[in-house]
């Protein structure tokens, strides 16, 4: 596995308003949707469910923070969201190489061609 990409100190880009990583979360807030977020990595899984009230972009990350859940998504790390054919309310995040990154959002209705 290649080492994690790091930004030089002091050079963290701001998160663009149209960053694909934040789109389903912005949509959940706008529609008051009750969603579930699951992040799975080797040896680690975290989940959260409820109405999303805020997304905090800062220091190059899309941050979703609650007392019992913290998710930090690097800006630009999500290149696509795809709808699960069997579950249209399930969106799966993919990176620039087309690989799943382990991030899944449930609870958004039809998003139109697989992207939020």
């Amino acid at each position: 596995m290649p080492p994690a990409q790091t930004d030089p100190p002091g050079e963290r880009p701001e998160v663009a308003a149209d960053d694909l990583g934040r789109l389903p979360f912005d949509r959940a807030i706008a529609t008051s949707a009750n969603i579930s977020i699951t992040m799975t990595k080797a040896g680690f899984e975290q989940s959260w469910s409820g109405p999303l009230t805020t997304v905090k972009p800062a220091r190059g990350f899309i941050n979703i923070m609650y007392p019992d859940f913290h998710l930090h998504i690097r800006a630009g790390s999500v290149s696509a969201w795809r709808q699960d054919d069997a579950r249209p309310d399930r969106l799966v995040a993919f990176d620039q190489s087309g690989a799943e990154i382990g991030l899944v959002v449930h609870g958004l209705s039809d998003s139109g061609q697989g992207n939020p």
Side-chain angles (χ1 to χ4, degrees), residues 44-94:
F44 174 80
E45 181 175 293
Q46 67 173 351
S47 296
W48 178 87
S49 295
L52 193 62
T53 57
T54 187
V55 174
K56 299 177 182 177
R59 301 179 48 94
F61 288 88
I62 300 157
N63 302 293
I64 298 171
M65 296 181 287
Y66 288 91
D68 60 345
F69 180 80
H70 281 212
L71 178 65
H72 310 284
I73 305 165
R74 183 181 296 276
S77 65
V78 175
S79 68
W81 290 93
R82 295 193 189 131
Q83 269 182 319
D84 185 323
D85 290 335
R87 292 196 51 195
D89 74 330
R90 183 177 187 263
L91 294 172
V92 180
F94 290 81

Side-chain angles (χ1 to χ4, degrees), residues 13-23 26 57 62 75-76:
E14 289 304 312
V15 179
D18 63 350
D19 188 294
L20 286 177
R22 69 182 286 170
L23 293 183
D26 288 344
I62 300 157

